[in-house]
Amino acid sequence: MYDHLNSYTDEAGSDGVVRVAAANMNYGLIRLVQKSDKFALVKDDRREKYAMGVLPGRSHSGNKIGILASVPADSDGSHPTLQWVLRCLEVGSVAAYNRLAKQLEELTAKTQLDEHEDKEKAFFVFQRTFITNRYCMLVFKISDDRGNHLADYDVLFTAGPDYDPNHLPPGFFVDRQRNQRDPGKLTYYIDYDVMSDWLSRPQLEGKFGFRIAARPAEGFAYYAVAEHKGTFVALKRYFAPNQTLMIDVQLQRRVKEGVFDLTTNLGPEDFRNQEAGDDIL
């Protein structure tokens, strides 16, 4: 993709600086443990519902549409930021908070529907249409059963009845970032609407999964490829558009017979061509 502007200054699904999915405190967590060549679900959790809203026509900054900077000092109370801040300050009970959360959820849905399509002619020789979908983040945390955080691995998404990476929709992938201080943490930013629409096609049977291949993949101590084969509908139980799902993955570190030998021969021996035995751990 070519863009002479830095896309992070106006990333889709954000206010120009902060992603909605990152700001939203509503998130899910699943923990997967490798069993042979598959993953077993050992934990799933969702936080209690928090209030979060996307206000109409606002951005992170700027005197005209900045969510804070655009509020005039002599505001008559009609500014959306001021309106909703005052409504939040009026909350005095759990029931009132839950009502507010529901109202902000409805506001977000309306805002994103109204601002889904934007037609723009300024800066261009003809009118162009820009689409803003709803996005989500998948955050992988990858370690092994010895507590090691892994740094050398591949994560591959799959879809369709054969769980083929070639059956994923075009345009679903937006961005990927890996934690520089802990490379075992990898964040994918994906277009939720593109994924949902594509996987609803009957030919794909709603199938969605991922495959993780860590290295080393051979030798006396290694990692085998593990795969999660599920459905997008099942995954949606743990996350939603505008939200983040943490996927805590534990791989199995396999050790083969011959990794350590005791001998009475005190002289040097050449072990470069020593064959590995069966898995012992």
Side-chain angles (χ1 to χ4, degrees), residues 186-203:
L186 181 66
T187 299
Y188 283 92
Y189 189 49
I190 65 175
D191 190 318
Y192 181 95
D193 290 328
V194 166
M195 287 288 287
S196 184
D197 292 345
W198 180 270
L199 292 175
S200 65
R201 299 186 180 192
Q203 301 93 323

Side-chain angles (χ1 to χ4, degrees), residues 145-273:
D145 52 359
R146 316 301 169 87
N148 300 310
H149 287 205
L150 306 187
D152 192 4
Y153 57 86
D154 294 322
V155 176
L156 193 65
F157 293 107
T158 60
D162 299 324
Y163 291 96
D164 189 329
N166 295 309
H167 292 162
L168 289 163
F172 88 96
F173 173 80
V174 181
D175 184 58
R176 177 182 61 192
Q177 296 288 329
R178 188 158 81 153
N179 191 309
Q180 295 182 356
R181 300 181 68 87
D182 185 356
K185 295 176 182 176
L186 181 66
T187 299
Y188 283 92
Y189 189 49
I190 65 175
D191 190 318
Y192 181 95
D193 290 328
V194 166
M195 287 288 287
S196 184
D197 292 345
W198 180 270
L199 292 175
S200 65
R201 299 186 180 192
Q203 301 93 323
L204 297 173
E205 301 177 5
K207 300 293 179 64
F208 176 72
F210 56 84
R211 189 181 307 148
I212 298 180
R215 286 172 286 275
E218 57 184 5
F220 287 98
Y222 71 102
Y223 298 98
V225 176
E227 188 167 8
H228 168 70
K229 294 182 178 181
T231 65
F232 194 65
V233 171
L235 193 63
K236 287 196 289 187
R237 293 203 303 265
Y238 310 108
F239 83 118
N242 305 318
Q243 295 186 18
T244 295
L245 174 65
M246 170 74 79
I247 305 175
D248 189 353
V249 176
Q250 183 187 91
L251 297 179
Q252 182 182 26
R253 183 174 181 266
R254 301 184 177 185
V255 179
K256 287 185 174 292
E257 183 180 5
V259 69
F260 184 84
D261 283 334
L262 294 175
T263 178
T264 58
N265 184 0
L266 301 182
E269 292 186 40
D270 187 348
F271 55 85
R272 286 174 295 181
N273 296 321

Side-chain angles (χ1 to χ4, degrees), residues 63-200:
N63 294 330
K64 291 185 177 180
I65 60 173
I67 192 166
L68 293 179
S70 64
V71 181
D74 57 349
S75 175
D76 60 0
S78 62
H79 193 283
T81 300
L82 185 56
Q83 285 183 355
W84 282 99
V85 167
L86 292 175
R87 293 178 72 170
C88 290
L89 292 174
E90 291 172 354
V91 171
S93 66
V94 173
Y97 181 87
N98 291 333
R99 285 195 299 271
L100 179 74
K102 180 64 176 176
Q103 292 166 356
L104 283 171
E105 184 178 355
E106 294 171 351
L107 173 69
T108 298
K110 185 178 187 307
T111 299
Q112 293 184 319
L113 180 63
D114 293 344
E115 299 180 3
H116 176 251
E117 183 178 302
D118 180 35
K119 297 183 183 296
E120 183 64 56
K121 190 174 188 304
F123 310 112
F124 305 109
V125 295
F126 53 84
Q127 180 174 278
R128 295 178 60 181
T129 300
F130 297 90
I131 301 297
T132 300
N133 287 330
R134 299 173 302 169
Y135 300 82
C136 63
M137 294 199 302
L138 301 178
V139 181
F140 286 87
K141 177 185 175 185
I142 302 176
S143 59
D144 66 17
D145 52 359
R146 316 301 169 87
N148 300 310
H149 287 205
L150 306 187
D152 192 4
Y153 57 86
D154 294 322
V155 176
L156 193 65
F157 293 107
T158 60
D162 299 324
Y163 291 96
D164 189 329
N166 295 309
H167 292 162
L168 289 163
F172 88 96
F173 173 80
V174 181
D175 184 58
R176 177 182 61 192
Q177 296 288 329
R178 188 158 81 153
N179 191 309
Q180 295 182 356
R181 300 181 68 87
D182 185 356
K185 295 176 182 176
L186 181 66
T187 299
Y188 283 92
Y189 189 49
I190 65 175
D191 190 318
Y192 181 95
D193 290 328
V194 166
M195 287 288 287
S196 184
D197 292 345
W198 180 270
L199 292 175
S200 65

